[in-house]
Amino acid sequence: MPEAPSSGVRINIDDLVRLKASAQGYSLLPRQPVHSILAGTHASRLRGRGLSFEELRRYFPGDDVRTIDWHVTARTRKPHVRVYSEERDRPLLLIVDQRPTMFFGSRRAMKSVAAAEVAALSAWRALAVGDRVGGLVFDGQELSEIEPHRSESRVLALFHAIVRMNQRLAPDSPAGTITLNQVLERAATVARHDSLVCVISDLSGADQETVRLMTRIQAHNDALLIFIHDPLEAELPQAGRLVMAQGERRLEVDTSTRKFRDDYAQEFENRVTRLKSLSLKRAVPLLEISTAEDVTSQVRRALGGAMQNRRRH
Amino acid sequence: MLTLAAPWWLILIPLPLILARLLPGFRPAQSGVTVPFFDLVARLTGLTPTTGPAVDHPPLIQQCVLWMCWILTTLALARPQWLEPPITRTVPTRDLLLAVDLSGSMETKDFTNEKGEKVDRLTAVKGVLDDFLQHRKGDRVGLILFGSIAFVQTPFTQDAEACRTLLDEAQVRMAGPKTALGDAIGLAITVFEHDSKVEDRVLIALTDGNDTGSEVPPDRAAHIAKDQKITIHTVAVGDPRAAGEEKLDEQSLRDIATTTGGLYSHAADRNSLKQIYARLDAIRARPVETVSHRPRRELFYWPLAAAMLVTLAYHILLAWRSATPVGSASAAARAAAVLVVGALSFGALGNFHFLRPWALLLLVPVAAVLVVIARQTQSLRGWRSLIDPELLAALQVGRNEIRLWRPLTALAVVSAVASVAIAGPTWRREASPFSDDESVLVICLKTTPSMLAKDVQPTRLTRASQKIGDLLALRPGTRTALIAYAGSAHVVLPLTRDAPLITQFASDLTPAVMPKEGDRLDEALTLAQEQIVRSDAPGSIVVIADDIPESLSPALRKFRDDGGVPVQVLGMAGEPGAPVPPDSPPAPPLNIANLRQRAGDLGGSVVTVTPDDSDVHSLASGTVSRLVETSAAQTGQSWHDSGYPLVFVVALLMLSWFRPGWFIRWPGGASA
């Protein structure tokens, strides 16, 4: 049974720590389960770790013939194989969005909470397979950088940063000046190569520059877009007059107009289509996470494929 | 016919247009939900976000409804009234004085009436006068009785009936045995001089003409009367063939008549009497003055009710459309029912009541609609169906500050005030020149020596007559009778609408005229009850007395138990310890406890005399409220509809509806 956060509004450190138990049944590694969105047919396989040369040894029957090193075999007249080990080090860089736009949710939890959960699940998973975990956590005013490190305390430090910003969020939080692009810019410099860069965000404010930055990151790293959204962002049901707010500003909208609702839903469709095309073109996989559903099962469904007869997203 | 009593209010109709310009926009205190898609929605709907809640415009249909209500309200302000066809009353243009001879000779039974019976002369006179008074509806009639002296029995009054009754009570020799015809003419001249403004002054002397003991001989008096333009018609009563003291002096009567240009007639001679009538009828010295009164019925509540119904219909329709479970609406209806019942039972207290209590039923749908609106227009309501409560609480900004004056409360207040106005609250009677008030009042005045005590200035009796005057002024146009009692009770004046007449008689009463000493209130009450029963109208009794003896207690109880009308007692005596002038006849001070008990025996109440007229007001309201209970149907029309001023309140409040952004926001209404 996946653990639900104690509150859907704000997350605390215990919630994130508790997710350690749920961090299984999916993988961030190159060899993906067959139903994962990252599986073979998909254009963008996770590159996985680089291989580091371990040793040369005699060939034993059963070894993969492809691993035979012909140069050495020719010199020694004995079949030798090269043994590689997977590189031990593929740092996971979590880019966790905790901007005010993330402070919204209609069912179960806020987007900011869902983002924190996804971050925790990824972090625990990576730590479990012995990867270094670091991250960039940001809200409108602050960008907190945690160097990747293979230690639980570092993960907790990351969690603390997330929780601190998460707790700070309020309906009247100032929008701030930090943009997604600024953070990606930073991520591009931090993740030099062979990192897995997980962008966990609602991707608000994404534009051409974002595409350029993601391309840049993708050139030497694996990138994964985790798109956090709320059902209400996808469509607005008929609910009479709604008063929307943004800081001091108010907008009273009559949701009983069909045209408006259609336009609204269309707008979201377009956005998702754009993101998907981005992920196809740039080989950046897109993972959609809805706030309304338990995050762990969504992640497992997308990256684990443990469930049978699952509807493909 | 339909008129507008205050048409100038119609110029207010365009006022809202101006107000809409001048008034600052109203922004309902709304709490909103912070959403990330704010700008997107703004772009899609083309609405400009406002700093603070939005100033919006009501949907067109709501504007139409509002304007309709406004126009109807101004129409109510213009005070439409239904003018009844004019009721005219002729103001008497003739003043007649009747001088009736009460000398000893009038006892003589020498007159043959129509049935051929022999009756005394006085009876004959009464017969002639009966005829006469029947013909003289609308004239003012005064009555002078004369014997050895002449006195005014009734000053000029239009109440011929009272005149007639007083004449009935006249006894031969009441004013002495002699016949002072000359003095009577002299007195008539004086009365005309004082009380009459009409050109044509007519005196009808009914006498056997045998003047004895006048200070002024009749022919002299007749000449003076002629100078004063008084026409004297003489009617002789009696047998011309009689002689001596009882002889009929036709000649002198003829002379008097000719001197003043009047006619002489014999009481038995119907033809010549008719001539006198014809002469009287021919008097038209000036055009007949009429008082024209057109009763107005207030109709302002129709447009107001229409405005209310339009509003209600609109909101009920929307409530229906929004189709919300109206769980608490039944509670609202119950509350409204309580309100209505409360208002009605409050109306049963005192004089306050509603002319059209059914209009209060409007409060029921009003309350229901308000409850629905209250639930509908909470700005977070729509969100509640979309967002989990916990998240909603976190996302809410701008707490709903509860503003007391907002469209919803305004609608509530307007509706409530309008309902009350339509219901027509009333607490005072309409003073109509011709009141249809059929109710009667009998005043029993104690006339004993103790009433001459001066502990109430100037004397108890004089003060009593002043209070009677005040009391009658509060009951204009109603009929009142006066009964004086001591050891016996007498009707001083039967039921009459002529208030000054009653006041005058009351002030003329002295203990000396009462034949027997004592205190027989019970007899007085019995007489009073007779008067009321005869009038066949709801009535009440006011007793003015300084005390009521305890010995009467059983009699009073019997009176009550025999279905006597409720009695109010005005205690006319000084408080114990009040200063008493030294020349005052000794009399016990006010024994309020005893009076209360006696009033209790009668099932009535006690009011003590006060220096101001609060005692009289209290008495008057006592009589009036009983009227309401007994004959609401008869008196209902004469209540003053006090609902109209409330229309101003409604209009004023309604103006606030034209403030930009001030409207009830129904979900599902067309968005602006």
Side-chain angles (χ1 to χ4, degrees), chain B residues 56-79:
Chain B
D56 207 346
H57 292 287
L60 191 62
I61 179 157
Q62 193 165 343
Q63 287 193 40
C64 293
V65 167
L66 188 52
W67 272 99
M68 223 150 113
C69 285
W70 173 246
I71 288 166
L72 285 166
T73 308
T74 42
L75 202 61
L77 269 187
R79 202 168 188 170

Side-chain angles (χ1 to χ4, degrees), chain A residues 7-9 103-108 171 233 237 239 241-246 248-250 252-254 260 264 267, chain B residues 30 32-37 39-41 43 47 49-50 52-53 382-383 385-386 388 390 394-395 397 665-666 669:
Chain A
S7 147
V9 181
F103 191 71
F104 181 77
S106 62
R107 295 277 178 259
R108 201 191 67 92
E233 292 178 296
R241 286 179 168 272
L242 294 179
V243 182
M244 300 176 181
Q246 192 179 62
E248 277 303 293
R249 302 194 304 159
R250 294 283 183 283
E252 191 171 0
V253 183
D254 194 342
F260 163 68
Y264 183 87
E267 198 73 29
Chain B
Q30 287 175 305
V33 166
T34 309
V35 293
F37 40 83
D39 294 326
L40 166 69
V41 170
R43 187 161 54 79
L47 295 169
T50 49
W383 288 115
S385 60
L386 301 181
D388 289 350
E390 184 197 27
L395 289 170
V397 285
R665 289 161 164 78
W666 277 102

Side-chain angles (χ1 to χ4, degrees), chain A residues 8-71:
Chain A
V9 181
R10 292 183 182 85
I11 200 127
N12 57 38
I13 198 87
D14 292 345
D15 295 326
L16 297 180
V17 170
R18 261 205 304 274
L19 283 169
K20 187 175 183 176
S22 315
Q24 47 193 286
Y26 55 93
S27 163
L28 298 167
L29 293 174
R31 225 168 291 131
Q32 283 285 323
V34 72
H35 288 302
S36 165
I37 59 162
L38 304 177
T41 51
H42 198 281
S44 66
R45 299 206 36 177
L46 288 182
R47 222 180 289 237
R49 311 161 181 201
L51 295 177
S52 55
F53 173 69
E54 194 83 1
E55 59 177 346
L56 283 168
R57 60 170 171 77
R58 295 284 300 276
Y59 168 81
F60 293 105
D63 278 343
D64 191 342
V65 293
R66 284 177 302 176
T67 59
I68 294 175
D69 186 321
W70 295 109
H71 296 283

